[in-house]
Amino acid sequence: MFARSVKRADLQRQFAAVHVQYGKLRLGAMVEGDGETNARIRLVGQHGDVEIKVVYQPKPGKFAGVTFLRPRDVLFVP
């Protein structure tokens, strides 16, 4: 599912930290993306919103990057 360059332990820590800070998350709207290799998606949390940016490599069909970002329209992140 993930490219070798993605460090899974680091990704798991990021997900855990986001969960602690924002609470239970659910998918929101897609903010931007090209429909093939990258997307930025809003995650709606119990304690505020966060966005996740994912980069996908069609060949070999794996995710090459995952980053959590402050939504552009939010001035403060809890």
Side-chain angles (χ1 to χ4, degrees):
M1 179 176 211
F2 293 99
R4 291 182 197 190
S5 61
V6 175
K7 296 180 181 170
R8 293 180 188 184
D10 291 345
L11 187 57
Q12 287 175 330
R13 281 191 287 276
Q14 287 179 23
F15 274 113
V18 167
H19 179 72
V20 166
Q21 189 169 3
Y22 294 95
K24 186 176 179 179
L25 297 168
R26 63 179 172 80
L27 284 175
M30 180 181 286
V31 177
E32 65 184 27
D34 65 7
E36 291 184 24
T37 60
N38 65 71
R40 187 170 172 151
I41 304 162
R42 177 73 56 107
L43 300 175
V44 179
Q46 294 171 308
H47 309 295
D49 297 349
V50 65
E51 291 178 359
I52 186 170
K53 180 178 179 181
V54 292
V55 177
Y56 182 74
Q57 293 176 334
K59 294 179 185 179
K62 298 193 182 245
F63 289 97
V66 177
T67 308
F68 291 96
L69 305 161
R70 175 180 55 85
R72 293 179 182 140
D73 59 340
V74 174
L75 298 175
F76 176 74
V77 177

